[in-house]
Amino acid sequence: MNRIPFVAGNWKMNKTVAEARELVARMSAPLSTIPNVEKVICPPFTSLMAVSEALNGTGIGLGAQDLHWEEKGAFTGQVAPNMVKEFCSYVIIGHSERRTYFGETDETVNRKVHAALKAGLTPIVCVGETLGQYESGLTSEVVRRQINAGLAGIDPAIASRIVIAYEPVWAIGTGKASSGENAQGVHSRVIRPALSGLFGESNAQAIRILYGGSVTAANAAEFFAQPDIDGALVGGASLKPEEFIAITKAAVK
Ligand code: 13P
């Protein structure tokens, strides 16, 4: 199965509007010339409008870092799917920081994935075990549960629009990336079989599975060389233009 490589930068809670404009200006032209890689930038909500203007015509996609599942109403502080869709084609759902600090559960992830797909957004659904779970040998069990519960009830006919990001929590922002071999094992032995169980084998083969967690220009090629690692969700290094451009180049097959 030929899956188009996918590289997304998650800026997390960084950059004012002015700073976001400046950062995009430093990376959009070189990124736009990299062929055959789906490229996405995910700034904070407040910068989406400015960054969407800056990315116009570059072929680089824009994503939000979260959304709410309800369509509108009395939900102070939340952003609805069709509001995200005004600027974005993508949305990150279930990032470990949202699970850890903001009460995200597999159930809320599931509601958000349904809502994102309904709004025509591509959800980038994050899964991954904590350090304690990793050390206790619970990785497969935890990730399988996150996939099965997070993607429950999705119509197999549209499942190939989903992108999965495997982000072991112990590797996020720590500088201690997983090995390519370890991530490949989770992708091929846990995530893809779980997707196959939900959506059938041919849909499972079409879904991109990204690795995330301390990806850098120096280690990116090790991940992209693995047959079931279809790209990366990049945090810290996505704030450094040269690094993010080099990572994206490394994804070209
Ligand atoms: P780092 O690349 O900074 O480890 O962050 C990974 C991540 O959480 C991307 O969503």
Side-chain angles (χ1 to χ4, degrees), residues 3-9 31 34-41 59-62 89-90 122-124 160-163 206 208 210 224 230-233 244 247-248 251-252:
R3 293 179 292 266
I4 298 167
F6 190 108
V7 176
L31 280 178
I34 302 171
N36 306 321
V37 178
E38 202 165 327
K39 302 163 283 263
V40 178
I41 290 174
I60 302 165
L62 185 65
S89 300
Y90 305 84
T122 294
I124 303 169
S160 64
R161 285 171 45 202
I162 298 168
V163 175
R208 268 83 58 86
L210 319 179
F224 300 147
D230 306 311
L233 183 55
F244 192 58
I247 291 167
T248 307
V252 177

PDB file of all heavy atoms in Angstrom, residues 3-9 31 34-41 59-62 89-90 122-124 160-163 206 208 210 224 230-233 244 247-248 251-252:
ATOM      1  N   ARG A   3       1.123   4.762   0.898  1.00  0.00           N
ATOM      2  CA  ARG A   3       0.517   5.824   1.697  1.00  0.00           C
ATOM      3  C   ARG A   3       1.353   7.088   1.537  1.00  0.00           C
ATOM      4  O   ARG A   3       2.578   7.027   1.695  1.00  0.00           O
ATOM      5  CB  ARG A   3       0.444   5.387   3.171  1.00  0.00           C
ATOM      6  CG  ARG A   3      -0.519   4.230   3.414  1.00  0.00           C
ATOM      7  CD  ARG A   3      -0.537   3.816   4.873  1.00  0.00           C
ATOM      8  NE  ARG A   3       0.714   3.206   5.291  1.00  0.00           N
ATOM      9  CZ  ARG A   3       0.952   1.886   5.292  1.00  0.00           C
ATOM     10  NH1 ARG A   3       0.015   1.045   4.922  1.00  0.00           N
ATOM     11  NH2 ARG A   3       2.118   1.423   5.683  1.00  0.00           N
ATOM     12  N   ILE A   4       0.698   8.218   1.244  1.00  0.00           N
ATOM     13  CA  ILE A   4       1.448   9.479   1.094  1.00  0.00           C
ATOM     14  C   ILE A   4       1.975   9.895   2.462  1.00  0.00           C
ATOM     15  O   ILE A   4       1.211   9.991   3.420  1.00  0.00           O
ATOM     16  CB  ILE A   4       0.540  10.587   0.513  1.00  0.00           C
ATOM     17  CG1 ILE A   4       0.055  10.177  -0.874  1.00  0.00           C
ATOM     18  CG2 ILE A   4       1.268  11.918   0.461  1.00  0.00           C
ATOM     19  CD1 ILE A   4      -1.071  11.046  -1.399  1.00  0.00           C
ATOM     20  N   PRO A   5       3.283  10.124   2.579  1.00  0.00           N
ATOM     21  CA  PRO A   5       3.842  10.526   3.873  1.00  0.00           C
ATOM     22  C   PRO A   5       3.188  11.816   4.388  1.00  0.00           C
ATOM     23  O   PRO A   5       2.773  12.666   3.598  1.00  0.00           O
ATOM     24  CB  PRO A   5       5.323  10.758   3.583  1.00  0.00           C
ATOM     25  CG  PRO A   5       5.603  10.046   2.311  1.00  0.00           C
ATOM     26  CD  PRO A   5       4.322  10.012   1.535  1.00  0.00           C
ATOM     27  N   PHE A   6       3.137  11.934   5.706  1.00  0.00           N
ATOM     28  CA  PHE A   6       2.388  13.014   6.346  1.00  0.00           C
ATOM     29  C   PHE A   6       3.259  13.582   7.466  1.00  0.00           C
ATOM     30  O   PHE A   6       3.694  12.839   8.347  1.00  0.00           O
ATOM     31  CB  PHE A   6       1.116  12.403   6.930  1.00  0.00           C
ATOM     32  CG  PHE A   6       0.092  13.373   7.439  1.00  0.00           C
ATOM     33  CD1 PHE A   6      -1.097  13.573   6.741  1.00  0.00           C
ATOM     34  CD2 PHE A   6       0.276  14.056   8.634  1.00  0.00           C
ATOM     35  CE1 PHE A   6      -2.068  14.444   7.225  1.00  0.00           C
ATOM     36  CE2 PHE A   6      -0.687  14.930   9.116  1.00  0.00           C
ATOM     37  CZ  PHE A   6      -1.862  15.119   8.405  1.00  0.00           C
ATOM     38  N   VAL A   7       3.520  14.875   7.426  1.00  0.00           N
ATOM     39  CA  VAL A   7       4.296  15.504   8.505  1.00  0.00           C
ATOM     40  C   VAL A   7       3.517  16.697   9.039  1.00  0.00           C
ATOM     41  O   VAL A   7       3.144  17.590   8.269  1.00  0.00           O
ATOM     42  CB  VAL A   7       5.699  15.949   8.023  1.00  0.00           C
ATOM     43  CG1 VAL A   7       6.441  16.693   9.133  1.00  0.00           C
ATOM     44  CG2 VAL A   7       6.519  14.750   7.555  1.00  0.00           C
ATOM     45  N   ALA A   8       3.253  16.697  10.328  1.00  0.00           N
ATOM     46  CA  ALA A   8       2.519  17.796  10.940  1.00  0.00           C
ATOM     47  C   ALA A   8       3.335  18.401  12.081  1.00  0.00           C
ATOM     48  O   ALA A   8       3.988  17.677  12.834  1.00  0.00           O
ATOM     49  CB  ALA A   8       1.164  17.318  11.467  1.00  0.00           C
ATOM     50  N   GLY A   9       3.273  19.724  12.189  1.00  0.00           N
ATOM     51  CA  GLY A   9       3.918  20.431  13.293  1.00  0.00           C
ATOM     52  C   GLY A   9       2.869  20.889  14.283  1.00  0.00           C
ATOM     53  O   GLY A   9       1.933  21.595  13.913  1.00  0.00           O
ATOM     54  N   LEU A  31       9.106  24.653   2.509  1.00  0.00           N
ATOM     55  CA  LEU A  31       8.213  23.493   2.718  1.00  0.00           C
ATOM     56  C   LEU A  31       7.368  23.232   1.480  1.00  0.00           C
ATOM     57  O   LEU A  31       7.147  22.080   1.093  1.00  0.00           O
ATOM     58  CB  LEU A  31       7.268  23.741   3.902  1.00  0.00           C
ATOM     59  CG  LEU A  31       7.779  23.532   5.317  1.00  0.00           C
ATOM     60  CD1 LEU A  31       6.669  23.878   6.302  1.00  0.00           C
ATOM     61  CD2 LEU A  31       8.270  22.099   5.539  1.00  0.00           C
ATOM     62  N   ILE A  34       8.640  20.867  -1.222  1.00  0.00           N
ATOM     63  CA  ILE A  34       8.911  19.448  -0.945  1.00  0.00           C
ATOM     64  C   ILE A  34       7.751  18.619  -1.499  1.00  0.00           C
ATOM     65  O   ILE A  34       6.606  18.791  -1.082  1.00  0.00           O
ATOM     66  CB  ILE A  34       9.091  19.206   0.569  1.00  0.00           C
ATOM     67  CG1 ILE A  34      10.241  20.068   1.099  1.00  0.00           C
ATOM     68  CG2 ILE A  34       9.346  17.715   0.855  1.00  0.00           C
ATOM     69  CD1 ILE A  34      10.379  20.071   2.618  1.00  0.00           C
ATOM     70  N   PRO A  35       8.045  17.726  -2.466  1.00  0.00           N
ATOM     71  CA  PRO A  35       6.964  17.031  -3.157  1.00  0.00           C
ATOM     72  C   PRO A  35       6.473  15.798  -2.412  1.00  0.00           C
ATOM     73  O   PRO A  35       7.220  15.198  -1.625  1.00  0.00           O
ATOM     74  CB  PRO A  35       7.628  16.597  -4.470  1.00  0.00           C
ATOM     75  CG  PRO A  35       9.052  16.366  -4.083  1.00  0.00           C
ATOM     76  CD  PRO A  35       9.372  17.337  -2.973  1.00  0.00           C
ATOM     77  N   ASN A  36       5.247  15.414  -2.691  1.00  0.00           N
ATOM     78  CA  ASN A  36       4.729  14.106  -2.272  1.00  0.00           C
ATOM     79  C   ASN A  36       4.754  13.869  -0.768  1.00  0.00           C
ATOM     80  O   ASN A  36       4.893  12.732  -0.312  1.00  0.00           O
ATOM     81  CB  ASN A  36       5.485  12.966  -2.971  1.00  0.00           C
ATOM     82  CG  ASN A  36       5.463  13.128  -4.479  1.00  0.00           C
ATOM     83  OD1 ASN A  36       4.446  13.540  -5.039  1.00  0.00           O
ATOM     84  ND2 ASN A  36       6.572  12.841  -5.119  1.00  0.00           N
ATOM     85  N   VAL A  37       4.656  14.943   0.003  1.00  0.00           N
ATOM     86  CA  VAL A  37       4.484  14.820   1.453  1.00  0.00           C
ATOM     87  C   VAL A  37       3.311  15.724   1.834  1.00  0.00           C
ATOM     88  O   VAL A  37       3.271  16.886   1.411  1.00  0.00           O
ATOM     89  CB  VAL A  37       5.742  15.268   2.238  1.00  0.00           C
ATOM     90  CG1 VAL A  37       5.494  15.177   3.737  1.00  0.00           C
ATOM     91  CG2 VAL A  37       6.962  14.449   1.841  1.00  0.00           C
ATOM     92  N   GLU A  38       2.352  15.191   2.585  1.00  0.00           N
ATOM     93  CA  GLU A  38       1.261  16.024   3.091  1.00  0.00           C
ATOM     94  C   GLU A  38       1.800  16.779   4.306  1.00  0.00           C
ATOM     95  O   GLU A  38       2.261  16.160   5.264  1.00  0.00           O
ATOM     96  CB  GLU A  38       0.075  15.128   3.457  1.00  0.00           C
ATOM     97  CG  GLU A  38      -1.256  15.839   3.491  1.00  0.00           C
ATOM     98  CD  GLU A  38      -2.423  14.845   3.493  1.00  0.00           C
ATOM     99  OE1 GLU A  38      -2.312  13.761   2.880  1.00  0.00           O
ATOM    100  OE2 GLU A  38      -3.430  15.149   4.151  1.00  0.00           O
ATOM    101  N   LYS A  39       1.773  18.117   4.224  1.00  0.00           N
ATOM    102  CA  LYS A  39       2.417  18.950   5.237  1.00  0.00           C
ATOM    103  C   LYS A  39       1.355  19.777   5.953  1.00  0.00           C
ATOM    104  O   LYS A  39       0.516  20.395   5.295  1.00  0.00           O
ATOM    105  CB  LYS A  39       3.428  19.893   4.567  1.00  0.00           C
ATOM    106  CG  LYS A  39       4.496  19.160   3.776  1.00  0.00           C
ATOM    107  CD  LYS A  39       5.217  20.070   2.792  1.00  0.00           C
ATOM    108  CE  LYS A  39       4.391  20.364   1.551  1.00  0.00           C
ATOM    109  NZ  LYS A  39       4.711  19.505   0.407  1.00  0.00           N
ATOM    110  N   VAL A  40       1.422  19.797   7.273  1.00  0.00           N
ATOM    111  CA  VAL A  40       0.387  20.483   8.048  1.00  0.00           C
ATOM    112  C   VAL A  40       1.033  21.228   9.213  1.00  0.00           C
ATOM    113  O   VAL A  40       1.959  20.716   9.851  1.00  0.00           O
ATOM    114  CB  VAL A  40      -0.638  19.463   8.599  1.00  0.00           C
ATOM    115  CG1 VAL A  40      -1.695  20.168   9.443  1.00  0.00           C
ATOM    116  CG2 VAL A  40      -1.303  18.689   7.467  1.00  0.00           C
ATOM    117  N   ILE A  41       0.523  22.431   9.473  1.00  0.00           N
ATOM    118  CA  ILE A  41       0.979  23.230  10.614  1.00  0.00           C
ATOM    119  C   ILE A  41      -0.216  23.445  11.546  1.00  0.00           C
ATOM    120  O   ILE A  41      -1.321  23.776  11.088  1.00  0.00           O
ATOM    121  CB  ILE A  41       1.535  24.581  10.124  1.00  0.00           C
ATOM    122  CG1 ILE A  41       2.859  24.341   9.378  1.00  0.00           C
ATOM    123  CG2 ILE A  41       1.749  25.541  11.279  1.00  0.00           C
ATOM    124  CD1 ILE A  41       3.411  25.591   8.727  1.00  0.00           C
ATOM    125  N   GLY A  59       0.113  25.073  -0.597  1.00  0.00           N
ATOM    126  CA  GLY A  59      -0.073  23.625  -0.537  1.00  0.00           C
ATOM    127  C   GLY A  59       0.179  23.047   0.844  1.00  0.00           C
ATOM    128  O   GLY A  59       0.138  21.830   1.031  1.00  0.00           O
ATOM    129  N   ILE A  60       0.450  23.914   1.823  1.00  0.00           N
ATOM    130  CA  ILE A  60       0.642  23.450   3.202  1.00  0.00           C
ATOM    131  C   ILE A  60      -0.697  23.550   3.926  1.00  0.00           C
ATOM    132  O   ILE A  60      -1.374  24.589   3.855  1.00  0.00           O
ATOM    133  CB  ILE A  60       1.701  24.314   3.929  1.00  0.00           C
ATOM    134  CG1 ILE A  60       3.029  24.271   3.166  1.00  0.00           C
ATOM    135  CG2 ILE A  60       1.884  23.837   5.377  1.00  0.00           C
ATOM    136  CD1 ILE A  60       3.997  25.359   3.594  1.00  0.00           C
ATOM    137  N   GLY A  61      -1.076  22.490   4.604  1.00  0.00           N
ATOM    138  CA  GLY A  61      -2.360  22.459   5.277  1.00  0.00           C
ATOM    139  C   GLY A  61      -2.304  23.087   6.663  1.00  0.00           C
ATOM    140  O   GLY A  61      -1.231  23.262   7.251  1.00  0.00           O
ATOM    141  N   LEU A  62      -3.490  23.418   7.167  1.00  0.00           N
ATOM    142  CA  LEU A  62      -3.596  24.035   8.484  1.00  0.00           C
ATOM    143  C   LEU A  62      -4.466  23.170   9.389  1.00  0.00           C
ATOM    144  O   LEU A  62      -5.508  22.663   8.963  1.00  0.00           O
ATOM    145  CB  LEU A  62      -4.218  25.430   8.337  1.00  0.00           C
ATOM    146  CG  LEU A  62      -4.301  26.278   9.601  1.00  0.00           C
ATOM    147  CD1 LEU A  62      -2.901  26.623  10.120  1.00  0.00           C
ATOM    148  CD2 LEU A  62      -5.077  27.565   9.323  1.00  0.00           C
ATOM    149  N   SER A  89      -8.249  22.309   7.618  1.00  0.00           N
ATOM    150  CA  SER A  89      -8.685  21.019   7.071  1.00  0.00           C
ATOM    151  C   SER A  89      -8.383  19.875   8.035  1.00  0.00           C
ATOM    152  O   SER A  89      -8.800  18.747   7.801  1.00  0.00           O
ATOM    153  CB  SER A  89      -7.975  20.749   5.747  1.00  0.00           C
ATOM    154  OG  SER A  89      -8.270  21.763   4.823  1.00  0.00           O
ATOM    155  N   TYR A  90      -7.608  20.158   9.068  1.00  0.00           N
ATOM    156  CA  TYR A  90      -7.145  19.117   9.990  1.00  0.00           C
ATOM    157  C   TYR A  90      -7.412  19.534  11.432  1.00  0.00           C
ATOM    158  O   TYR A  90      -7.512  20.735  11.727  1.00  0.00           O
ATOM    159  CB  TYR A  90      -5.629  18.894   9.842  1.00  0.00           C
ATOM    160  CG  TYR A  90      -5.194  18.571   8.439  1.00  0.00           C
ATOM    161  CD1 TYR A  90      -4.947  19.584   7.507  1.00  0.00           C
ATOM    162  CD2 TYR A  90      -5.021  17.245   8.036  1.00  0.00           C
ATOM    163  CE1 TYR A  90      -4.545  19.289   6.213  1.00  0.00           C
ATOM    164  CE2 TYR A  90      -4.616  16.946   6.741  1.00  0.00           C
ATOM    165  CZ  TYR A  90      -4.380  17.971   5.838  1.00  0.00           C
ATOM    166  OH  TYR A  90      -3.990  17.676   4.563  1.00  0.00           O
ATOM    167  N   THR A 122     -10.019  16.410   8.711  1.00  0.00           N
ATOM    168  CA  THR A 122      -9.202  15.215   8.884  1.00  0.00           C
ATOM    169  C   THR A 122      -8.716  15.168  10.329  1.00  0.00           C
ATOM    170  O   THR A 122      -7.928  16.026  10.741  1.00  0.00           O
ATOM    171  CB  THR A 122      -7.967  15.254   7.955  1.00  0.00           C
ATOM    172  OG1 THR A 122      -8.424  15.187   6.606  1.00  0.00           O
ATOM    173  CG2 THR A 122      -7.025  14.102   8.230  1.00  0.00           C
ATOM    174  N   PRO A 123      -9.190  14.204  11.119  1.00  0.00           N
ATOM    175  CA  PRO A 123      -8.718  14.122  12.501  1.00  0.00           C
ATOM    176  C   PRO A 123      -7.360  13.440  12.587  1.00  0.00           C
ATOM    177  O   PRO A 123      -7.122  12.429  11.918  1.00  0.00           O
ATOM    178  CB  PRO A 123      -9.795  13.268  13.195  1.00  0.00           C
ATOM    179  CG  PRO A 123     -10.479  12.509  12.120  1.00  0.00           C
ATOM    180  CD  PRO A 123     -10.223  13.203  10.802  1.00  0.00           C
ATOM    181  N   ILE A 124      -6.474  14.020  13.377  1.00  0.00           N
ATOM    182  CA  ILE A 124      -5.176  13.399  13.687  1.00  0.00           C
ATOM    183  C   ILE A 124      -5.312  12.907  15.126  1.00  0.00           C
ATOM    184  O   ILE A 124      -5.261  13.703  16.076  1.00  0.00           O
ATOM    185  CB  ILE A 124      -4.021  14.417  13.556  1.00  0.00           C
ATOM    186  CG1 ILE A 124      -3.991  15.020  12.145  1.00  0.00           C
ATOM    187  CG2 ILE A 124      -2.684  13.761  13.913  1.00  0.00           C
ATOM    188  CD1 ILE A 124      -3.052  16.226  11.996  1.00  0.00           C
ATOM    189  N   SER A 160     -10.621   5.811   6.213  1.00  0.00           N
ATOM    190  CA  SER A 160      -9.285   6.065   5.657  1.00  0.00           C
ATOM    191  C   SER A 160      -8.916   7.544   5.693  1.00  0.00           C
ATOM    192  O   SER A 160      -7.767   7.904   5.469  1.00  0.00           O
ATOM    193  CB  SER A 160      -9.180   5.533   4.232  1.00  0.00           C
ATOM    194  OG  SER A 160     -10.074   6.225   3.397  1.00  0.00           O
ATOM    195  N   ARG A 161      -9.898   8.421   5.999  1.00  0.00           N
ATOM    196  CA  ARG A 161      -9.583   9.853   6.159  1.00  0.00           C
ATOM    197  C   ARG A 161      -8.859  10.131   7.470  1.00  0.00           C
ATOM    198  O   ARG A 161      -8.248  11.189   7.643  1.00  0.00           O
ATOM    199  CB  ARG A 161     -10.891  10.677   6.135  1.00  0.00           C
ATOM    200  CG  ARG A 161     -11.476  10.805   4.729  1.00  0.00           C
ATOM    201  CD  ARG A 161     -12.860  11.433   4.745  1.00  0.00           C
ATOM    202  NE  ARG A 161     -12.949  12.592   5.619  1.00  0.00           N
ATOM    203  CZ  ARG A 161     -14.075  13.054   6.132  1.00  0.00           C
ATOM    204  NH1 ARG A 161     -15.223  12.458   5.860  1.00  0.00           N
ATOM    205  NH2 ARG A 161     -14.073  14.110   6.920  1.00  0.00           N
ATOM    206  N   ILE A 162      -8.966   9.206   8.418  1.00  0.00           N
ATOM    207  CA  ILE A 162      -8.362   9.416   9.737  1.00  0.00           C
ATOM    208  C   ILE A 162      -6.845   9.245   9.660  1.00  0.00           C
ATOM    209  O   ILE A 162      -6.337   8.425   8.901  1.00  0.00           O
ATOM    210  CB  ILE A 162      -8.951   8.397  10.749  1.00  0.00           C
ATOM    211  CG1 ILE A 162     -10.460   8.606  10.899  1.00  0.00           C
ATOM    212  CG2 ILE A 162      -8.241   8.462  12.103  1.00  0.00           C
ATOM    213  CD1 ILE A 162     -11.159   7.467  11.640  1.00  0.00           C
ATOM    214  N   VAL A 163      -6.135  10.049  10.443  1.00  0.00           N
ATOM    215  CA  VAL A 163      -4.687   9.881  10.625  1.00  0.00           C
ATOM    216  C   VAL A 163      -4.467   9.564  12.099  1.00  0.00           C
ATOM    217  O   VAL A 163      -5.085  10.187  12.969  1.00  0.00           O
ATOM    218  CB  VAL A 163      -3.932  11.170  10.225  1.00  0.00           C
ATOM    219  CG1 VAL A 163      -2.449  11.056  10.520  1.00  0.00           C
ATOM    220  CG2 VAL A 163      -4.163  11.493   8.744  1.00  0.00           C
ATOM    221  N   ALA A 206      -4.806   1.699   4.424  1.00  0.00           N
ATOM    222  CA  ALA A 206      -4.824   3.043   3.827  1.00  0.00           C
ATOM    223  C   ALA A 206      -4.594   4.149   4.856  1.00  0.00           C
ATOM    224  O   ALA A 206      -4.262   5.281   4.494  1.00  0.00           O
ATOM    225  CB  ALA A 206      -6.156   3.270   3.120  1.00  0.00           C
ATOM    226  N   ARG A 208      -2.878   6.470   7.515  1.00  0.00           N
ATOM    227  CA  ARG A 208      -1.523   6.864   7.896  1.00  0.00           C
ATOM    228  C   ARG A 208      -1.349   6.794   9.414  1.00  0.00           C
ATOM    229  O   ARG A 208      -2.207   7.275  10.159  1.00  0.00           O
ATOM    230  CB  ARG A 208      -1.190   8.285   7.418  1.00  0.00           C
ATOM    231  CG  ARG A 208      -0.535   8.382   6.056  1.00  0.00           C
ATOM    232  CD  ARG A 208      -1.506   8.350   4.923  1.00  0.00           C
ATOM    233  NE  ARG A 208      -2.504   9.393   4.973  1.00  0.00           N
ATOM    234  CZ  ARG A 208      -2.338  10.640   4.466  1.00  0.00           C
ATOM    235  NH1 ARG A 208      -1.226  10.973   3.862  1.00  0.00           N
ATOM    236  NH2 ARG A 208      -3.322  11.526   4.499  1.00  0.00           N
ATOM    237  N   LEU A 210       1.344   8.006  12.177  1.00  0.00           N
ATOM    238  CA  LEU A 210       2.517   8.844  12.415  1.00  0.00           C
ATOM    239  C   LEU A 210       3.172   8.458  13.724  1.00  0.00           C
ATOM    240  O   LEU A 210       2.520   7.954  14.629  1.00  0.00           O
ATOM    241  CB  LEU A 210       2.115  10.322  12.504  1.00  0.00           C
ATOM    242  CG  LEU A 210       1.061  10.844  11.520  1.00  0.00           C
ATOM    243  CD1 LEU A 210       0.799  12.332  11.795  1.00  0.00           C
ATOM    244  CD2 LEU A 210       1.506  10.599  10.094  1.00  0.00           C
ATOM    245  N   PHE A 224      11.193   7.187   9.378  1.00  0.00           N
ATOM    246  CA  PHE A 224      10.561   7.105   8.062  1.00  0.00           C
ATOM    247  C   PHE A 224      11.024   5.869   7.280  1.00  0.00           C
ATOM    248  O   PHE A 224      10.386   5.476   6.310  1.00  0.00           O
ATOM    249  CB  PHE A 224      10.813   8.385   7.262  1.00  0.00           C
ATOM    250  CG  PHE A 224      10.272   9.625   7.935  1.00  0.00           C
ATOM    251  CD1 PHE A 224      10.901  10.856   7.802  1.00  0.00           C
ATOM    252  CD2 PHE A 224       9.122   9.555   8.712  1.00  0.00           C
ATOM    253  CE1 PHE A 224      10.404  11.994   8.425  1.00  0.00           C
ATOM    254  CE2 PHE A 224       8.609  10.688   9.343  1.00  0.00           C
ATOM    255  CZ  PHE A 224       9.263  11.910   9.199  1.00  0.00           C
ATOM    256  N   ASP A 230       4.329   6.274   8.800  1.00  0.00           N
ATOM    257  CA  ASP A 230       3.930   6.998   7.587  1.00  0.00           C
ATOM    258  C   ASP A 230       4.139   8.498   7.707  1.00  0.00           C
ATOM    259  O   ASP A 230       3.628   9.261   6.883  1.00  0.00           O
ATOM    260  CB  ASP A 230       2.454   6.699   7.285  1.00  0.00           C
ATOM    261  CG  ASP A 230       2.194   5.201   7.207  1.00  0.00           C
ATOM    262  OD1 ASP A 230       2.956   4.507   6.504  1.00  0.00           O
ATOM    263  OD2 ASP A 230       1.254   4.715   7.875  1.00  0.00           O
ATOM    264  N   GLY A 231       4.860   8.918   8.746  1.00  0.00           N
ATOM    265  CA  GLY A 231       5.102  10.340   8.919  1.00  0.00           C
ATOM    266  C   GLY A 231       5.326  10.648  10.380  1.00  0.00           C
ATOM    267  O   GLY A 231       5.541   9.742  11.186  1.00  0.00           O
ATOM    268  N   ALA A 232       5.258  11.947  10.714  1.00  0.00           N
ATOM    269  CA  ALA A 232       5.568  12.357  12.078  1.00  0.00           C
ATOM    270  C   ALA A 232       4.666  13.489  12.536  1.00  0.00           C
ATOM    271  O   ALA A 232       4.243  14.330  11.734  1.00  0.00           O
ATOM    272  CB  ALA A 232       7.027  12.814  12.161  1.00  0.00           C
ATOM    273  N   LEU A 233       4.363  13.484  13.823  1.00  0.00           N
ATOM    274  CA  LEU A 233       3.747  14.630  14.481  1.00  0.00           C
ATOM    275  C   LEU A 233       4.847  15.247  15.351  1.00  0.00           C
ATOM    276  O   LEU A 233       5.332  14.615  16.283  1.00  0.00           O
ATOM    277  CB  LEU A 233       2.541  14.193  15.321  1.00  0.00           C
ATOM    278  CG  LEU A 233       1.756  15.306  16.021  1.00  0.00           C
ATOM    279  CD1 LEU A 233       1.285  16.380  15.053  1.00  0.00           C
ATOM    280  CD2 LEU A 233       0.540  14.726  16.756  1.00  0.00           C
ATOM    281  N   PHE A 244      12.304  21.655  11.024  1.00  0.00           N
ATOM    282  CA  PHE A 244      11.028  21.153  10.500  1.00  0.00           C
ATOM    283  C   PHE A 244      11.132  20.892   8.990  1.00  0.00           C
ATOM    284  O   PHE A 244      10.597  19.910   8.480  1.00  0.00           O
ATOM    285  CB  PHE A 244       9.895  22.135  10.812  1.00  0.00           C
ATOM    286  CG  PHE A 244       8.530  21.566  10.561  1.00  0.00           C
ATOM    287  CD1 PHE A 244       8.098  20.410  11.215  1.00  0.00           C
ATOM    288  CD2 PHE A 244       7.659  22.160   9.658  1.00  0.00           C
ATOM    289  CE1 PHE A 244       6.831  19.871  10.982  1.00  0.00           C
ATOM    290  CE2 PHE A 244       6.391  21.630   9.412  1.00  0.00           C
ATOM    291  CZ  PHE A 244       5.985  20.475  10.078  1.00  0.00           C
ATOM    292  N   ILE A 247      13.110  17.637   8.583  1.00  0.00           N
ATOM    293  CA  ILE A 247      12.281  16.476   8.931  1.00  0.00           C
ATOM    294  C   ILE A 247      11.327  16.166   7.774  1.00  0.00           C
ATOM    295  O   ILE A 247      11.152  15.016   7.370  1.00  0.00           O
ATOM    296  CB  ILE A 247      11.492  16.738  10.242  1.00  0.00           C
ATOM    297  CG1 ILE A 247      12.445  16.797  11.441  1.00  0.00           C
ATOM    298  CG2 ILE A 247      10.412  15.672  10.457  1.00  0.00           C
ATOM    299  CD1 ILE A 247      11.820  17.363  12.713  1.00  0.00           C
ATOM    300  N   THR A 248      10.720  17.218   7.228  1.00  0.00           N
ATOM    301  CA  THR A 248       9.762  17.018   6.141  1.00  0.00           C
ATOM    302  C   THR A 248      10.455  16.448   4.898  1.00  0.00           C
ATOM    303  O   THR A 248       9.928  15.554   4.233  1.00  0.00           O
ATOM    304  CB  THR A 248       9.053  18.345   5.817  1.00  0.00           C
ATOM    305  OG1 THR A 248       8.512  18.881   7.021  1.00  0.00           O
ATOM    306  CG2 THR A 248       7.934  18.152   4.814  1.00  0.00           C
ATOM    307  N   ALA A 251      10.963  12.792   4.965  1.00  0.00           N
ATOM    308  CA  ALA A 251       9.761  11.946   4.793  1.00  0.00           C
ATOM    309  C   ALA A 251       9.513  11.585   3.336  1.00  0.00           C
ATOM    310  O   ALA A 251       8.710  10.701   3.048  1.00  0.00           O
ATOM    311  CB  ALA A 251       8.540  12.667   5.359  1.00  0.00           C
ATOM    312  N   VAL A 252      10.190  12.270   2.404  1.00  0.00           N
ATOM    313  CA  VAL A 252       9.974  11.985   0.976  1.00  0.00           C
ATOM    314  C   VAL A 252      10.401  10.553   0.696  1.00  0.00           C
ATOM    315  O   VAL A 252      11.510  10.150   1.054  1.00  0.00           O
ATOM    316  CB  VAL A 252      10.792  12.963   0.084  1.00  0.00           C
ATOM    317  CG1 VAL A 252      10.611  12.601  -1.381  1.00  0.00           C
ATOM    318  CG2 VAL A 252      10.368  14.396   0.349  1.00  0.00           C
TER     319      VAL A 252
END
